[in-house]
Amino acid sequence: MHPFLYTLAADEPTARRIAATDPAAAFIAGGTTLIDLMKLNVEHPAQLVDITRLPLAKVEELPDGGIRVGAMVRNSDLANHMLIQARYPVLSQALLAGASPQLRNMATTGGNILQRTRCWYFRDTATPCNKRDPGSGCSALHGQNRIHAVLGASDHCIATHASDMCVALAALGAIVRIHGPSGDRALPFSIFHLVPGAHPERETALQHGELIVGIDIPRLPFATRSVYLKVRDRRSYAFALASAAVALDIRDGIIRDARVALGGVATKPWRSQAAESALVGKTAGSAAYHAAAMAALEGAVPRARNAFKIELAKRTLMRALARAGALA
Amino acid sequence: MDDPNRREFIGTVVTTALASVLAPGTARADAASPHSPPGAPPPTLTPPPDIPVALTVNGTTVRLTLDPRTTLLDALRESMHLTGSKKGCDHGQCGACTVHLNGRRVLACLTLAVMAQDQPVTTIEGLARGDTLHPMQQAFIDRDGLQCGYCTPGQIMSAVALLNEPCGPADDDVRECMSGNICRCGAYPNIVAAVQDVRTATARG
């Protein structure tokens, strides 16, 4: 591991000032991604700014019926929070499908949004990787790409986004709250993460020195009827091969509104408005769910070893929709 | 991790070579950003000064002087000689290093020692009361919940934490709640039995 300077930030202005003045500084909270990647020499910040003492660990109701989650709320606390379980079961389920209990006790909401890919070439400094070393090439394009993306990829990068939480937040239309040197920003989840294009090293709209202080989850009454389904190589403690976060507003057997996002198959948390459009106005049932699955995977690009993911993602989405549709 | 390993040695050599072409003081300014690639000039590899770290482990506060890179796991094992917590993968994938921080189970290998200050740490060495084993330790013995024993401290620390977590009653629920602890000997059936024994006894008691 490269050496670094450790600084404990007593308050938010201090944390942001230090980060803004040091281009090689990184914030650290749970550390579950960062320390791991520092041990692999994939990440090598020259300074770690510890933000775990900042008062950002609250889950609060917003006046309009939404929920505000502080960046420091740990994944296990968020998953087991009564408000989240009651109003956004898809989010609780997604969190509990991710990692292990120990990691969920450590990982934070803000950190999980910035979780990095599990592409094995990204994690192996002996191999070319455009995300880790821009311009060096993509080892996955013609390599062992069974776990890689079929949606949102480019000729420069086909790495999937690893987070389960983010798939649920994409479906729920969460807002990322950011404080930074040039002021405060609130970015919709749909534009926070970036597809790789020609610059896979740029993963989010976050600028250096900006701090995620939390997320707002908008009021969405029909999210009480929501499901997260994750399919993986083993039943627990594994990353998704395909996952789906769905919510359905069904009245008199007709789908009035829908939310659909996919994980494990795309380069960013993948909300599919095409799938949502395919559902709205239709009779709840397998025909509508099948149409949504076809729409969600339209344009998917298979690589040598991951073509199975297209069918797997369709079936995962159909099953998630069927489960949500069957809820009272 | 305190000891320079081969990779760090090579890195030091490279840095020394680079230093001859960089003006003094530029290495820090040119340091790669946290998300920038290793193709960029590496940050200075001069070890940072050791820092004071006070850890409260199993009820005793110990003042150490550590390289900031030291993980809680290395501090426990190498500085405090509490070798019950094991280093399996050292990357948060196996659970052998599980300890309790503030009463919650975490992975000591992904926790910096400096960040574990001001919070009580409990390790496997802190579970027994004198010669009386924690009921979970006793249950692992009674149920033969181990073979080689390397993962056992982590398994037991997870199992003890599980007692205070929302975890369903079924064996399958226990398997899910224990999924962060890998046992390559495959002692899982007996581990589940041990956990269920203690949960049943706790519920009765």
Side-chain angles (χ1 to χ4, degrees):
Chain A
M1 191 188 297
H2 288 231
F4 58 82
L5 205 67
Y6 169 82
T7 310
L8 176 61
D11 51 46
E12 194 196 310
T14 308
R16 292 202 277 119
R17 190 178 59 246
I18 296 167
T21 53
D22 183 350
F27 295 120
I28 184 165
T32 53
T33 290
L34 187 55
I35 298 293
D36 179 33
L37 291 177
M38 286 167 68
K39 287 183 177 187
L40 295 170
N41 285 332
V42 170
E43 299 246 30
H44 31 74
Q47 180 167 201
L48 286 185
V49 183
D50 180 349
I51 55 169
T52 55
R53 306 301 164 90
L54 305 190
L56 298 171
K58 277 196 259 180
V59 178
E60 308 165 273
E61 286 191 83
L62 294 168
D64 67 356
I67 304 280
R68 173 163 292 180
V69 181
M72 277 303 306
V73 176
R74 307 281 173 170
N75 283 180
S76 49
D77 294 327
L78 189 59
N80 294 314
H81 198 283
M82 281 175 57
L83 281 173
I84 301 300
Q85 290 182 331
R87 296 189 194 176
Y88 311 104
V90 65
L91 177 56
S92 182
Q93 291 167 19
L95 284 159
L96 292 175
S100 69
Q102 293 97 310
L103 288 163
R104 294 195 292 269
N105 277 343
M106 304 167 72
T108 62
T109 306
N112 195 313
I113 294 172
L114 300 174
Q115 186 178 359
R116 306 204 70 193
T117 184
R118 300 299 293 195
C119 172
W120 31 62
Y121 299 109
F122 171 73
R123 293 169 59 81
D124 178 2
T125 58
T127 59
C129 168
N130 286 323
K131 186 184 281 297
R132 171 170 39 74
D133 188 3
S136 62
C138 173
S139 301
L141 270 180
H142 303 289
Q144 297 293 329
N145 49 30
R146 177 175 178 271
I147 64 167
H148 289 78
V150 293
L151 291 167
S154 72
D155 287 343
H156 301 271
C157 182
I158 58 171
T160 55
H161 197 270
S163 167
D164 293 294
M165 180 192 85
C166 287
V167 181
L169 290 177
L172 295 170
I175 311 286
V176 185
R177 299 175 55 241
I178 298 162
H179 291 175
S182 7
D184 300 350
R185 299 200 286 161
L187 286 183
F189 224 73
S190 56
I191 59 169
F192 182 83
H193 295 96
L194 309 175
V195 292
H199 289 284
E201 75 279 11
R202 290 186 210 146
E203 297 180 353
T204 72
L206 205 64
Q207 302 292 316
H208 183 77
E210 286 190 317
L211 177 69
I212 296 174
V213 295
I215 52 165
D216 285 352
I217 312 173
R219 182 180 122 90
L220 194 70
F222 72 87
T224 52
R225 187 199 291 265
S226 63
V227 165
Y228 188 74
L229 180 61
K230 179 177 182 180
V231 178
R232 40 193 158 170
D233 279 327
R234 60 184 180 204
R235 201 160 135 197
S236 183
Y237 200 14
F239 290 90
L241 289 172
S243 72
V246 302
L248 290 175
D249 182 4
I250 301 174
R251 277 170 279 166
D252 304 324
I254 305 295
I255 301 167
R256 309 287 172 175
D257 204 350
R259 292 296 178 87
V260 173
L262 297 176
V265 291
T267 52
K268 60 176 258 182
W270 196 260
R271 183 164 170 189
S272 176
Q273 275 160 330
E276 294 170 7
S277 301
L279 290 164
V280 173
K282 305 293 192 310
T283 302
S286 54
Y289 305 154
H290 183 261
M294 297 300 284
L297 273 298
E298 198 183 329
V301 178
R303 309 286 164 173
R305 295 165 194 268
N306 69 356
F308 75 98
K309 279 194 171 190
I310 296 176
E311 185 62 23
L312 185 68
K314 286 180 188 170
R315 294 185 188 200
T316 303
L317 176 53
M318 283 189 278
R319 184 173 294 185
L321 289 166
R323 281 194 191 169
L327 292 171
Chain B
M1 200 178 62
D2 281 337
D3 305 321
N5 60 29
R6 188 166 163 272
R7 186 175 294 174
E8 282 166 347
F9 170 74
I10 293 167
T12 308
V13 172
V14 171
T15 304
T16 309
L18 269 178
S20 62
V21 295
L22 289 173
T26 55
R28 187 75 172 77
D30 289 345
S33 81
H35 295 289
S36 74
T44 172
L45 292 187
T46 310
D50 287 356
I51 52 174
V53 174
L55 293 175
T56 302
V57 181
N58 302 329
T60 305
T61 300
V62 180
R63 290 172 202 291
L64 305 168
T65 305
L66 300 173
D67 183 309
R69 290 172 288 185
T70 311
T71 60
L72 176 59
L73 179 61
D74 284 332
L76 291 169
R77 290 180 55 85
E78 308 297 334
S79 299
M80 300 182 66
H81 308 297
L82 294 170
T83 53
S85 307
K86 299 300 186 222
K87 183 181 281 193
C89 68
D90 208 24
H91 283 277
Q93 299 177 5
C94 77
C97 67
T98 303
V99 299
H100 296 178
L101 187 61
N102 255 337
R104 294 156 58 114
R105 50 173 158 160
V106 300
L107 299 175
C109 77
L110 292 183
T111 302
L112 291 177
V114 65
M115 291 177 70
Q117 297 185 101
D118 308 319
Q119 304 165 80
V121 179
T122 305
T123 69
I124 188 73
E125 290 91 344
L127 284 189
R129 292 285 162 264
D131 288 337
T132 307
L133 294 178
H134 186 283
M136 193 63 76
Q137 292 173 300
Q138 190 60 53
F140 268 67
I141 294 171
D142 295 344
R143 287 290 193 165
D144 202 16
L146 62 140
Q147 186 173 312
C148 83
Y150 196 80
C151 73
T152 311
Q155 298 277 2
I156 292 177
M157 295 311 288
S158 258
V160 169
L162 180 158
L163 301 174
N164 298 316
E165 293 172 2
C167 176
D171 285 359
D172 256 5
D173 298 319
V174 173
R175 289 188 190 102
E176 171 62 32
C177 294
M178 292 295 291
S179 68
N181 293 81
I182 309 294
C183 171
R184 286 292 80 128
C185 302
Y188 297 115
N190 295 357
I191 291 171
V192 172
V195 174
Q196 293 291 46
D197 279 358
V198 177
R199 297 177 96 202
T200 311
T202 309
R204 266 204 311 269

